[in-house]
Amino acid sequence: MENEKKKIPAICMADEEQLDGRKKLDKVFSAQNYAGLSPNRSSLQQLSESYRVWAQGYAQVENAIAVLSDLKSRKSHVYYGGFSRMLHLGDSEKDTHLSTIWEEEIFRIVHPDDLQSKMLQELAFYHYVKRLPSGQCSRFYLAACLRMRSRTDAYICALHRLYYIPMPGSDALWMALCLYTPLPVGFPEGCFIVDSQTGQSTPLEVGASGMSLLSDRERQVLVLIDRGLTSKQIAEQLSISQHTVSRHRQEILAKLRVRNSIEACRIAGQLKLL
Amino acid sequence: MENEKKKIPAICMADEEQLDGRKKLDKVFSAQNYAGLSPNRSSLQQLSESYRVWAQGYAQVENAIAVLSDLKSRKSHVYYGGFSRMLHLGDSEKDTHLSTIWEEEIFRIVHPDDLQSKMLQELAFYHYVKRLPSGQCSRFYLAACLRMRSRTDAYICALHRLYYIPMPGSDALWMALCLYTPLPVGFPEGCFIVDSQTGQSTPLEVGASGMSLLSDRERQVLVLIDRGLTSKQIAEQLSISQHTVSRHRQEILAKLRVRNSIEACRIAGQLKLL
C-alpha cells in the first residue's frame, strides 16, 4: 500500500533492454498476419514501388535521409539526401539496399540514449496505430527530436519521422518509412504522435527518463488494476473516490487506445510500465 | 533629412498591390531564359514526371495538398491529400490539372492578408534563390505559417512550403512545388527561408505589416543610398559614423544576397522597400 503511493521510478535501460525493445519490435512485426485479404502480388509490388519512389522524393526534394523498410520480407532501401553530408556517415551518398529492417549505419550515429527511447517510442506507436479503426492508420505519424553525430563529431538535433504503411486488405503494418532531416524551427524536444490531417500532436514520452504517456497517478492505478484489484479496492488503497478511479481508468484506456483493462495491462507490460 | 529619421511606415497593400505582387512574379517567371544549356526534351519530361510522382507522394504520405507548377508552360498539377478534408475546398478530392500556375481554389481560402504576404514572400524568395551559386538552389525552401479557412468557416493555421526547382543546365527556376499541411507542433508565426541540409532558418517578413528582412536603420540607409548619397553624406544625415554606415551597407548586401548597392536598390524597389 505504501509502495503504490511512491512515484514509480524512472526506467533506466541497460544495453540488453535497448536490444530488448528492438527484439520486441522484431517479434510484433513477425507475429503479424500479412496474408489476410491482401490483393494480388502485382498490385502490392506496384504499391511498394510507389513508396520507394516517394522515399526517393523525400531525399531529393527535402534533402532527407529516407529509409523504407519492408517489415514482411525484412529488407530496406536507404536514400541518402543532402542531410547525410552533415552527418558522420562516411561517404555513403549512394542509395543502398539492406537485407534487414534496421538501418545500423544510421543507428550508429544516433545518441545511445535517444536510440533506446526511439525503439520504445516505435513500439508504443505500433500499438497505437494497430488499435486505430481500419483505414485511419495512415493519418498518423511519429515525430521525434533525435541527437545525431555530425561529421565534426558533435551531436546535432534532427527530426525523425516514422510512418507505418498498412498492407491493403489486411490488419498488418507492412512497411515503415523513416525520414531523418534537420530539426525544423520551433520543434520542441520530445516525441509526438501527429495526426497529419488535423495537425493535432499528442506528446509521447517513452524511454530512459520513464514513460510519461500516463501520469504518475494513472500508472499507480494501472499497477493496481494489473494486480486484480477492483475499483473500490483501488479507491481505498489510494485514498481517492471510486469516481476518480473510474475517471483514471477511462483516461488510461483512451491514452493507450485500448478497449479494456486487460488489453491495457498487456500493452503497459510491453511498454515496461508495470 | 527629417524624413529619413522617421520610422518608415508599414506598407498597407490594397488589392491592386496584391495583384501587383502576383504580376511581378508572373513577370519574373516569364522573363527567365528557359533555353540555356538545358538537356534534351525527353530527360526534362522524365524529371518533370518524377516531380509529379513526388508531389503525389506528399499527398499520399503526409496528407498534404501538393501543387506542382510548371513556370515555363504555365500549368499546374494539384494533388489533394487528406488535409483538404479539413478545409473549405468543396469536394475537390480528386487530383486536378490547371492551365495556370496560380491555384485559385486554394488562394480563395487563404486569409487575404496572408495571401498578400505570400506573394511578396515568394518574390523575395525568388530573388534569394536566383542569387545563390549554381546547384545550391535546391537546398533552400520557404516555410510560412498561413491562415486557411476550414470547412467550419473558421481560420486554421497551416504550413506552406515552397520549393523552386531549377531547370538542369540553365539559370531558370523551372517548377515550383507548394505543399500545404497542418501547422507542425512548435512552428512559430511568420516566414522562414530554410536550408534543408543544415536546418538553418532565416526569418523573412514581407507583407502587410511591412518588410522586416531589413531593420529600420538599414532601410533608412538604403533609401539614402538609392538617392545617390555617399557613405560620408549618409553618416552626416543620420548622425552616425562612416564605419557604422559601411557596416549597415554590408549587412544590407548580405541580407538581400546581392553583390553591390545598385542591385540592392533594384531588389528593394521590387520588394516595395524604397
Side-chain angles (χ1 to χ4, degrees), chain B residues 47-216:
Chain B
L47 186 60
S48 153
E49 172 60 27
S50 289
Y51 272 96
R52 277 206 294 281
V53 176
W54 294 337
Q56 195 185 14
Y58 275 99
Q60 185 68 35
V61 174
E62 59 185 84
N63 274 316
I65 300 172
V67 183
L68 183 69
S69 300
D70 183 323
L71 307 178
K72 183 177 176 236
S73 62
R74 309 192 66 76
K75 285 178 185 160
S76 302
H77 290 256
V78 188
Y79 302 94
Y80 291 95
F83 181 45
S84 63
R85 261 167 249 145
M86 302 301 295
L87 299 171
H88 202 293
L89 276 178
D91 53 356
S92 52
E93 295 284 316
K94 291 173 92 176
D95 304 339
T96 51
H97 299 187
L98 307 174
S99 55
T100 165
I101 58 166
W102 306 116
E103 55 272 28
E104 295 287 359
E105 204 209 6
I106 295 166
F107 292 173
R108 195 176 48 77
I109 59 164
V110 173
H111 192 291
D113 291 350
D114 294 359
L115 189 57
Q116 290 184 345
S117 317
K118 183 177 181 290
M119 293 301 164
L120 290 183
Q121 286 158 0
E122 294 185 8
L123 188 62
F125 184 53
Y126 173 88
H127 288 299
Y128 182 90
V129 163
K130 284 291 270 191
R131 261 153 198 81
L132 291 170
S134 167
Q136 290 293 296
C137 143
S138 302
R139 264 180 65 168
F140 295 86
Y141 67 94
L142 190 75
C145 174
L146 213 63
R147 286 166 292 177
M148 295 178 88
R149 201 139 51 88
S150 77
R151 58 179 176 196
T152 63
D153 266 340
Y155 279 105
I156 56 174
C157 280
L159 177 68
H160 170 240
R161 281 174 288 171
L162 166 66
Y163 298 82
Y164 283 126
I165 299 139
M167 179 173 274
S170 130
D171 281 340
L173 301 182
W174 176 31
M175 290 188 288
L177 175 63
C178 282
L179 304 172
Y180 301 87
T181 52
L183 198 70
V185 58
F187 191 87
E189 273 191 46
C191 178
F192 299 85
I193 294 177
V194 185
D195 181 337
S196 64
Q197 195 163 304
T198 65
Q200 208 194 341
S201 300
T202 312
L204 173 72
E205 284 175 40
V206 195
S209 61
M211 163 78 168
S212 56
L213 175 62
L214 302 183
S215 72
D216 288 344

Side-chain angles (χ1 to χ4, degrees), chain A residues 33-184:
Chain A
N33 179 11
Y34 292 95
L37 299 159
S38 67
N40 61 53
R41 181 181 280 265
S42 80
S43 78
L44 280 184
Q45 264 178 353
Q46 220 173 344
L47 187 60
S48 153
E49 172 61 25
S50 289
Y51 271 96
R52 278 206 293 281
V53 176
W54 294 337
Q56 196 185 11
Y58 276 99
Q60 185 68 34
V61 174
E62 58 185 85
N63 275 317
I65 301 171
V67 184
L68 182 69
S69 300
D70 183 324
L71 306 178
K72 183 176 176 239
S73 63
R74 309 191 67 73
K75 284 177 186 162
S76 303
H77 289 257
V78 188
Y79 302 94
Y80 291 95
F83 182 44
S84 63
R85 260 166 251 147
M86 302 301 296
L87 299 170
H88 204 292
L89 276 178
D91 53 356
S92 52
E93 295 284 314
K94 291 175 92 175
D95 305 340
T96 51
H97 299 187
L98 307 174
S99 54
T100 164
I101 58 166
W102 305 116
E103 56 272 28
E104 294 287 1
E105 205 211 4
I106 295 166
F107 293 173
R108 194 175 49 78
I109 60 164
V110 174
H111 191 290
D113 291 350
D114 294 358
L115 189 59
Q116 291 184 345
S117 317
K118 184 177 181 290
M119 293 301 165
L120 290 183
Q121 287 159 358
E122 294 185 9
L123 189 62
F125 183 53
Y126 174 88
H127 288 300
Y128 183 91
V129 164
K130 284 291 268 190
R131 260 150 199 83
L132 291 171
S134 168
Q136 291 293 299
C137 141
S138 302
R139 264 180 66 168
F140 295 86
Y141 66 94
L142 191 74
C145 174
L146 213 64
R147 285 166 292 177
M148 294 178 88
R149 200 138 50 89
S150 77
R151 61 180 173 191
T152 62
D153 265 340
Y155 279 105
I156 55 174
C157 281
L159 176 69
H160 171 240
R161 281 174 289 172
L162 166 67
Y163 298 83
Y164 282 127
I165 299 139
M167 179 173 275
S170 130
D171 283 340
L173 300 181
W174 177 29
M175 290 188 288
L177 175 62
C178 283
L179 303 172
Y180 301 88
T181 52
L183 199 68

Side-chain angles (χ1 to χ4, degrees), chain A residues 13-23 116 272:
Chain A
M13 286 178 296
D15 276 1
E16 312 98 64
E17 285 173 311
Q18 185 246 311
L19 272 175
D20 203 43
R22 213 159 120 168
K23 268 190 201 146
Q116 291 184 345
K272 297 176 170 293

